[in-house]
Amino acid sequence: MQVADHQHVPIDIQTSKLLDWLVDRRHCNLKWQSLVLTIREKINAAIQDMPENQEIAQLLSGSYIHYFHCLRIVDLLKGTEASTKNIFGRYSSQRMKDWQEIVALYEKDNTYLVELSSLLVRNVNYEIPSLKKQIAKCQQLQQEYSRKEEEGQAGAAEMREQFYQSCKQYGITGDNVRRELLALVQDLPSQLADIGSGAQSLEEAIDLYQACVDFVCESPAEQVLPMLRFVQKRGNSTVYEWRTGTEPSVVERPHLEAPPEQVEEDAIDWGDFGTEATSEGIDYSISADAAGIDWGISLDLDSKEAGSDRIDSADEAAALQITVLEAGTEVPEGVARGSDALTLLEYPETRNQFIDELMELEIFLSQRAVEMSEEADILSVSQFQLAPAILQGQTKGKMVTMVSVLQDLIGRLTNLRMQHLFMILASPRYVDRVTEFLQQKLKQSQLLALKKELMIQKQQEALQEQAALEPKLDLLLEKTKELQKLIEADISKRYNGRPVNLMGTSL
C-alpha cells in the first residue's frame, strides 16, 4: 500500500535547476555539450540531401531540430527509402544511415534529454522574457508617440491661433504679411484725417475747460490746449501751417522708400527658431561713408535690434524721428519741406502734444462728472454762483458724453495697430521685423504639424513591430510547452510513471 502511494507522489523540479538535477542524478554526462556540437554538425550535413516530402520540409524549416524531430524523420525515411531495405532489415541508403547515426548519438548518455532541457531553460529564462519586453516596449512607444502627437497637434493649433491673433491686432489677414502692412501705411493719412475731423466736435469741451481755468484763476490766463484747438478748427493740417500760421503753397513730402521685398525660398528652413539669421560673411560693398551721405542710421540702434528676439518699442522715440538733412540751400517761403510737410498727427512731436492735450481735457471732464454726481455742498454751490453760464448750464450726462468722445479719439490714436503703423511710417525696415516676428509663429506651427505627422509614422512603425513580434511569441510559447511535456514524460518513464512537474515556467 505504501509503495502504491509512493508511485503517485509527483516529482517537482525547478526549471532553472533542471540541468543540475539531471547531472546530479546521473541521467546525463557532465560533458554533454561537446557531444551536442558533434550531433549538430552531422544534422547540418544530413539535411543537405533529403527526399521530396512535405512533412520533412516542414520539420526542417525555421525550427530547431531536436531528438524527437530526428525520430520522426527516420520514420518518414522508412517509407521513402523502403526500396533500399535488404533481407536483414537494414537500409543501404546513406540518408537513412546518417539519421540513424544521429539518433544513436542522441540516445548515448541521454544527450537528447539534456539538450531539450537546455532549450527549455533558455526559452523560459531568456527568449520569452526578451520577446515580452520588446512587445511591452512597442506598446510604451505607441502611448508616448500618441501623447506627442496630441501635443504637436495642440501646439500647432495654438501657434497658428497666435499668428492669426497677432495679424488681427495689426489689422491684416496674414496671407502676405509684408504687403498687407505696407498697404496699411498707405491708408494711414486718411485715417489720421478722420481723427482730425473727429476733433471738430470738441469745441464745447474746449470752451468749457477754458472758461473753468479763467474762472478759477480769476485773471486772464493763456489759451489752453493750443494744439487741440488748432486741429479742432483746421483739421489735421501740416506742421508748416501750425508753425507759421499760414497754409503752404507747395508741400514736398519726404519720400520714404520701402525696403526691397525678400525673395522667399521654396524650402522651409526648419532650424532653431530661437536663433537670429545672420549673414554668411557676405560683403555687399555698401559703405556708410559713401559720398559723405549721412543716412541717419545709428549703429548702436541696429545692434540692439539684431540682439533682440522680440519686437518692442524701447527705441520708439528714436525710430520715430524723421531727420531732414539740410541740403545747403534755404527753403523758399511758402514751401513745406521735410518735417514741415508732414501732418500734425504724422509728426511724432506734434502728435504726442495732441494726445497729451486730449488726455488733459479728458481728465478735466471726468473730474467734473464725478463732482456733479456727488451731493452739492454749500461751498461748491457758493463757488459756482458767480461762474459763467457755460459752467452752470452743464449736466453730468453731457460730461459723460464728451468724455466718451475723447476716449474714442485717444483709443484710435494709441491702439497697438496704430503704434505699429507709426513705426512703419518712420522706419520702413520695421516692416521686415514685424514680418519676421509673425512668420516665426507660422513656421513653429508648421514644424509642430510636421512633428505630429512624424509621431503618427513612428506610432505605425511601433504597431507593425508589435504585430510582427506577437506571432513569434505565440509560436515560441507553443514550442516551449511542447518541450516541457516531452521532458516531463521522458523523466516520468525513468521513475516508473511518477508524475513530473517542471516548476517556474510561467507559460
Side-chain angles (χ1 to χ4, degrees):
M1 186 68 180
Q2 293 180 353
V3 175
D5 293 339
H6 179 72
Q7 289 297 115
H8 296 287
V9 175
I11 301 175
D12 296 336
I13 307 172
Q14 193 69 25
T15 304
S16 60
K17 298 180 180 180
L18 178 58
L19 295 177
D20 296 335
W21 189 89
L22 292 174
V23 173
D24 291 343
R25 285 155 182 77
R26 303 182 185 280
H27 291 301
C28 59
N29 195 333
L30 184 61
K31 300 181 179 180
W32 59 272
Q33 293 179 345
S34 59
L35 185 57
V36 168
L37 290 176
T38 303
I39 295 173
R40 301 316 302 176
E41 292 176 359
K42 290 184 176 295
I43 290 177
N44 291 332
I47 61 177
Q48 303 300 323
D49 180 26
M50 296 297 293
E52 295 292 336
N53 185 284
Q54 184 176 0
E55 187 174 352
I56 292 178
Q58 290 179 352
L59 290 173
L60 299 179
S61 62
S63 60
Y64 187 88
I65 301 174
H66 53 70
Y67 169 73
F68 292 97
H69 290 155
C70 295
L71 288 180
R72 182 57 184 163
I73 290 174
V74 169
D75 291 339
L76 293 173
L77 288 178
K78 288 179 181 179
T80 58
E81 308 295 323
S83 59
T84 62
K85 185 176 182 181
N86 57 29
I87 58 176
F88 298 105
R90 298 182 178 274
Y91 292 87
S92 60
S93 170
Q94 185 62 37
R95 295 173 181 170
M96 180 64 79
K97 290 181 180 180
D98 291 342
W99 287 102
Q100 286 177 340
E101 181 184 4
I102 291 171
V103 170
L105 290 173
Y106 260 133
E107 292 175 350
K108 181 181 179 182
D109 295 332
N110 298 320
T111 305
Y112 73 91
L113 180 60
V114 70
E115 184 191 36
L116 293 178
S117 301
S118 175
L119 286 176
L120 178 66
V121 172
R122 186 177 67 183
N123 289 349
V124 171
N125 291 343
Y126 302 104
E127 300 294 338
I128 293 177
S130 176
L131 283 176
K132 288 183 177 180
K133 186 179 296 185
Q134 292 181 49
I135 292 175
K137 181 65 175 178
C138 290
Q139 294 173 345
Q140 179 183 357
L141 287 175
Q142 291 175 47
Q143 296 176 357
E144 182 178 353
Y145 292 146
S146 177
R147 177 180 59 81
K148 290 184 177 180
E149 175 194 350
E150 295 176 358
E151 291 177 354
Q153 183 175 1
E158 181 181 358
M159 295 307 300
R160 196 179 301 109
E161 181 65 21
Q162 289 183 12
F163 170 76
Y164 287 118
Q165 285 294 335
S166 299
C167 289
K168 186 177 180 181
Q169 290 180 350
Y170 289 102
I172 59 178
T173 60
D175 296 335
N176 191 315
V177 175
R178 193 176 186 281
R179 292 180 182 176
E180 292 177 23
L181 288 174
L182 292 175
L184 286 178
V185 177
Q186 301 299 325
D187 297 336
L188 184 59
S190 61
Q191 298 179 33
L192 296 179
D194 292 340
I195 295 175
S197 300
Q200 294 178 359
S201 62
L202 301 178
E203 181 178 5
E204 184 179 0
I206 296 173
D207 293 342
L208 179 62
Y209 184 36
Q210 184 71 58
C212 185
V213 171
D214 293 341
F215 173 71
V216 172
C217 293
E218 296 181 353
S219 62
E222 62 179 8
Q223 192 180 49
V224 296
L225 312 176
M227 175 65 69
L228 184 55
R229 191 184 297 273
F230 184 85
V231 175
Q232 185 267 325
K233 292 180 179 179
R234 300 195 183 186
N236 185 29
S237 58
T238 62
V239 176
Y240 179 89
E241 186 174 351
W242 156 256
R243 186 173 57 83
T244 63
T246 60
E247 187 175 352
S249 57
V250 179
V251 177
E252 299 179 0
R253 291 178 59 84
H255 181 62
L256 298 178
E257 293 185 359
E261 185 171 359
Q262 298 177 353
V263 179
E264 296 183 359
E265 298 181 0
D266 294 336
I268 298 176
D269 181 11
W270 297 109
D272 294 335
F273 293 121
T275 59
E276 291 285 339
T278 58
S279 60
E280 298 294 337
I282 302 174
D283 182 8
Y284 291 96
S285 300
I286 298 177
S287 174
D289 299 330
I293 300 175
D294 182 4
W295 299 100
I297 299 174
S298 171
L299 296 179
D300 294 337
L301 178 58
D302 290 343
S303 64
K304 290 179 182 178
E305 292 176 356
S308 175
D309 288 336
R310 62 185 179 87
I311 296 179
D312 54 34
S313 57
D315 300 325
E316 182 176 358
L320 291 179
Q321 298 300 325
I322 302 177
T323 304
V324 180
L325 301 177
E326 295 295 338
T329 59
E330 295 183 358
V331 179
E333 186 176 354
V335 177
R337 182 180 298 171
S339 60
D340 283 351
L342 297 175
T343 63
L344 293 174
L345 297 183
E346 287 178 339
Y347 190 52
E349 183 177 343
T350 53
R351 180 175 65 249
N352 291 337
Q353 182 180 349
F354 180 75
I355 295 174
D356 290 343
E357 293 183 4
L358 283 176
M359 291 182 174
E360 181 181 347
L361 183 58
E362 183 218 352
I363 293 173
F364 165 72
L365 295 176
S366 299
Q367 182 61 31
R368 285 296 299 147
V370 172
E371 293 172 355
M372 288 180 159
S373 63
E374 298 175 352
E375 293 184 2
D377 54 14
I378 299 175
L379 180 60
S380 61
V381 171
S382 62
Q383 280 182 339
F384 282 92
Q385 282 181 348
L386 302 177
I390 188 174
L391 288 176
Q392 297 186 19
Q394 299 298 329
T395 62
K396 178 186 174 183
K398 293 180 66 176
M399 294 290 116
V400 173
T401 302
M402 288 187 283
V403 168
S404 64
V405 173
L406 285 166
Q407 289 176 345
D408 177 66
L409 290 175
I410 295 172
R412 290 165 64 184
L413 268 176
T414 59
N415 59 51
L416 181 62
R417 175 173 174 269
M418 192 64 74
Q419 291 177 19
H420 287 295
L421 290 180
F422 288 140
M423 292 286 287
I424 296 171
L425 180 66
S427 176
R429 291 183 300 119
Y430 185 74
V431 176
D432 293 332
R433 294 180 59 192
V434 175
T435 302
E436 182 182 0
F437 172 73
L438 294 178
Q439 289 297 336
Q440 291 283 30
K441 296 181 180 295
L442 193 58
K443 286 182 180 179
Q444 287 179 351
S445 173
Q446 294 171 346
L447 179 59
L448 289 171
L450 184 64
K451 180 181 178 182
K452 169 199 167 186
E453 296 299 328
L454 182 61
M455 291 302 104
I456 294 177
Q457 180 182 352
K458 288 184 175 293
Q459 187 177 355
Q460 291 297 325
E461 291 176 357
L463 184 61
Q464 292 174 2
E465 184 178 357
Q466 178 184 346
L469 290 174
E470 287 177 345
K472 293 181 181 179
L473 177 62
D474 294 339
L475 180 61
L476 185 60
L477 288 172
E478 181 182 352
K479 296 292 183 182
T480 305
K481 289 179 181 179
E482 181 182 347
L483 285 176
Q484 181 178 350
K485 291 180 181 179
L486 291 174
I487 294 170
E488 289 175 349
D490 192 276
I491 295 176
S492 178
K493 291 178 183 178
R494 301 173 188 275
Y495 290 91
N496 299 323
R498 287 179 60 185
V500 177
N501 298 321
L502 294 179
M503 312 297 291
T505 54
S506 301
L507 302 177

